[in-house]
Amino acid sequence: MINGINGFTVFSLVLLVFVVVTVANGVRIIPQGEEWIVQRLGKYCTTLLPGLRFIIPYVDIISYKVTTKDIILDVQEQEVITRDNAVIVVNAISFIKVTDPVKAVYGVEDYAEAIRNMIMTTLRSIVGDMELDEALSSRDMIKARLKAGVADEALDWGLTVKSVEIQDIKPSASMQRAMELQASAERERKAMVTRAEGDKQSMILSAEGRLESAKRDAVAQVTLAEASSQAIRKVNAAFGDNELPMLYLLGEKYITSLSKIAESENAKLVLLPADLQSTLRGLFQQVNKTGQA
């Protein structure tokens, strides 16, 4: 009797456990922001939406749990060669959303990795058709073309590409060094051109200054010569044939000049002509000829 009771108790416990497990397998609570894919005997059966849902225990299984929230995909940094053979480094970030869980899980092995590789490939293609300067200054255009390039393929996988942002686009380390050297050479070239232009302008101004000075010296000499000639003519007209005043003036100038010579530190000996009157008369005749000329 006791053995029969113990056997019934064990059977009841086993039956209770089986019922609990069966009910647990048949009842599912799907959280908000997820959709679960149900397979029946290995084939797609239905999609469970958020809330309390029921499936057939031991026949239906939850094969995939798909999030319907926005997914952030970080596209890894990669080197891209532009059309002018410059190497730049580009990385991006994408925001996608699963709109059809069935296509997302059955259309591609790993939809997140597939979109990431699609963005990387498309990005290389877009940047590869640009030159370096264009690629560095056309971030918005690259972003628009990139989104359009992956959007159609993403729809086939049940995905919507909401946005693609270019995080960074810059020359590679070696290209940056080359650009710095080029910029330094360009600055040096401009500095040399500026110095050359300055030297040229300085030489032009100096030459113009010398030319103007020579012109003014020539004018001064002509003016001085004309003044001297006019003075001689006036003196000659004033004295006429009387040469004594002229001899007096010339003698005075002559003696003054000799005095200055005698006062010089280098002068050791001063010789005076024996016939000073004849000498002055000769000077007067020479001045008279000059004045008449």
Side-chain angles (χ1 to χ4, degrees), residues 180-190:
E180 289 174 357
L181 292 175
Q182 181 180 3
S184 177
E186 182 65 19
R187 288 193 297 269
E188 183 65 22
R189 184 190 68 82
K190 289 183 179 180

Side-chain angles (χ1 to χ4, degrees), residues 58-243:
Y58 310 113
V59 177
D60 296 342
I61 61 173
I62 306 300
S63 57
Y64 299 99
K65 296 179 180 180
V66 181
T67 179
T68 56
K69 295 180 289 186
D70 289 349
I71 302 173
I72 302 175
L73 293 180
D74 188 12
V75 181
Q76 66 188 30
E77 188 176 82
Q78 60 176 334
E79 291 187 347
V80 182
I81 301 177
T82 60
R83 188 169 58 190
D84 53 351
N85 295 324
V87 180
I88 62 176
V89 179
V90 186
N91 67 335
I93 187 170
S94 177
F95 300 88
I96 66 173
K97 182 178 180 65
V98 178
T99 54
D100 190 337
V102 177
K103 290 183 178 180
V105 298
Y106 293 112
V108 65
E109 181 68 24
D110 185 345
Y111 61 85
E113 188 65 22
I115 286 294
R116 185 180 288 109
N117 289 324
M118 177 68 67
I119 292 174
M120 292 177 63
T121 303
T122 306
L123 187 58
R124 283 198 300 268
S125 177
I126 293 172
V127 176
D129 289 336
M130 296 181 175
E131 293 187 355
L132 176 61
D133 294 339
E134 182 183 5
L136 294 177
S137 60
S138 304
R139 185 184 295 251
D140 291 338
M141 183 181 68
I142 295 174
K143 180 177 69 175
R145 290 180 58 185
L146 183 59
K147 181 180 178 181
V150 300
D152 293 339
E153 193 69 28
L155 288 176
D156 294 337
W157 296 335
L159 306 172
T160 297
V161 180
K162 303 187 70 174
S163 177
V164 179
E165 299 292 337
I166 304 298
Q167 286 186 301
D168 197 9
I169 178 168
K170 60 184 179 181
S172 63
S174 59
M175 184 57 62
Q176 286 182 359
R177 290 193 295 271
M179 292 176 67
E180 289 174 357
L181 292 175
Q182 181 180 3
S184 177
E186 182 65 19
R187 288 193 297 269
E188 183 65 22
R189 184 190 68 82
K190 289 183 179 180
M192 292 178 63
V193 171
T194 302
R195 286 195 296 269
E197 288 291 337
D199 293 342
K200 175 183 175 182
Q201 193 66 23
S202 176
M203 293 174 64
I204 291 175
L205 293 176
S206 179
E208 290 178 351
R210 291 195 301 271
L211 177 61
E212 184 66 22
S213 177
K215 288 182 178 179
R216 291 180 181 272
D217 289 342
V219 172
Q221 291 178 4
V222 171
T223 303
L224 182 61
E226 291 178 352
S228 300
S229 177
Q230 186 176 2
I232 292 173
R233 284 197 297 270
K234 288 183 178 182
V235 171
N236 190 30
F239 293 156
D241 295 334
N242 187 5
E243 61 180 11

